[in-house]
Amino acid sequence: MFTIGDFARYGRVSARMLRHYDAIGLLRPARTDPVSGYRFYEAAQLARLNRIIALKDLGFSLQQVGAILDEQVSVPELRGMLRLRQAELEAALTAAGARLAQVEARLRTIESEGRMSADDVVVKRTETVLLAELSGIAASYGPEDIGPVIQPLYDELCRRLAAAGVTPAGPGLAYYEDAPEESTGNTGNTGSTSDGGSDAVVVHAGMVVTPEALAKAGAKTDGGSGRSGTPTPTGLGFDVVTLPGLDCAATVVHHGPMSRILPTAQNLARWIDANGYRSAGYARELYLECPPDQEKWITEIQEPVVRA
């Protein structure tokens, strides 16, 4: 027989682990001295210990290991458990590969620019939100065309929300879509127009609101929530829309005025390309902080992406 120390050494485990296996009934010692409490093991028990270690290395819990060793798991069940573990490991490898690609992309950025980028990109899902909004047409998606349209929209939206007694429940959120070919006006009655054309975009300037606030203000929206993704008039001078979240968005935080957003957007575009994604539509802008001093503005850019 072996003492617990010798058995642990031959089995390549710790004595503490053997005591734990004894406590949970996974591997009992062949004999325990009734006076000293010392545990003793037989050489034949090394086979069971080796099976425990092998099953643990496959990722099974100790409870599952015990059931397998005691033949409480049938062969079809064991096959299913192994296939599930195989799928889990494959998913972990995929995730690790994505992280490796991000590390390699960051290394390339540091090597090319000689410094750490201040624009940290995070891929995540975004939530569905209820927005009160006004919209207008911009000649293009460029900052020089968006700025003159979106700022008046937000000024007017805030004025109309205040007049209706609706207090925003969250930050502003702007989103964009291609303008119809024959666009000659806007849906927010702000006077922003364009000649249409292939480059024109619809600018949606929204503020997060609650159904309760809309109902209290007397909004007429067939339930006060608006159809998913479709702006609905409220009768209060603004529309309401339930904007679906993005399943996969590459996001980055921009500091400062929106007139200087282009470098941040370009860094995001480079990250998307370097990390095996491609853009799936116009980016959204979540205005986290908008104090009077625009240098202190904090905006999150949310660009929908898919794997390339």
Side-chain angles (χ1 to χ4, degrees), residues 215-276:
K216 185 176 180 180
K220 301 174 182 178
T221 59
D222 297 328
S225 61
R227 290 177 295 170
S228 179
T230 303
T232 303
T234 62
L236 299 173
F238 55 84
D239 295 341
V240 65
V241 61
T242 300
L243 186 67
L246 300 172
D247 290 333
C248 185
T251 66
V252 67
V253 175
H254 171 70
H255 296 267
M258 297 303 290
S259 60
R260 295 206 302 265
I261 197 173
L262 192 55
T264 305
Q266 290 173 342
N267 286 340
L268 178 60
R270 285 194 291 267
W271 186 96
I272 290 171
D273 180 67
N275 286 272

Side-chain angles (χ1 to χ4, degrees), residues 14-93:
S14 67
R16 181 189 60 81
M17 187 60 67
L18 288 177
R19 295 188 187 95
H20 179 59
Y21 291 166
D22 181 13
I24 64 176
L26 188 59
L27 180 61
R28 301 284 193 188
R31 184 175 72 84
T32 302
D33 188 282
V35 177
S36 65
Y38 290 167
R39 296 171 175 84
F40 296 92
Y41 295 83
E42 295 177 344
Q45 291 182 285
L46 281 172
R48 183 178 176 92
L49 178 59
N50 288 339
R51 292 192 68 193
I52 292 172
I53 295 171
L55 291 170
K56 277 188 61 184
D57 287 343
L58 290 176
F60 290 116
S61 68
L62 291 180
Q63 183 178 5
Q64 292 172 321
V65 169
I68 294 171
L69 293 182
D70 295 339
E71 298 184 352
Q72 298 173 8
V73 176
S74 66
V75 172
E77 288 174 333
L78 180 57
R79 187 182 298 114
M81 293 168 66
L82 288 169
R83 285 176 176 168
L84 177 60
R85 184 57 184 157
Q86 181 183 36
E88 292 172 346
L89 290 171
E90 289 174 348
L93 283 173

Side-chain angles (χ1 to χ4, degrees), residues 117-149:
S117 172
D119 298 327
D120 288 317
V121 177
V122 176
V123 176
K124 63 183 179 182
R125 297 186 63 179
T126 66
E127 297 181 353
T128 296
V129 291
L130 179 63
L131 298 177
E133 69 165 53
L134 292 178
S135 60
I137 305 296
S140 76
Y141 187 56
E144 68 280 2
D145 290 322
I146 295 295
V149 175

Side-chain angles (χ1 to χ4, degrees), residues 175-187:
Y175 66 102
Y176 307 88
E177 59 184 337
D178 291 328
E181 287 294 329
E182 301 303 322
S183 295
T184 58
N186 65 79
T187 61

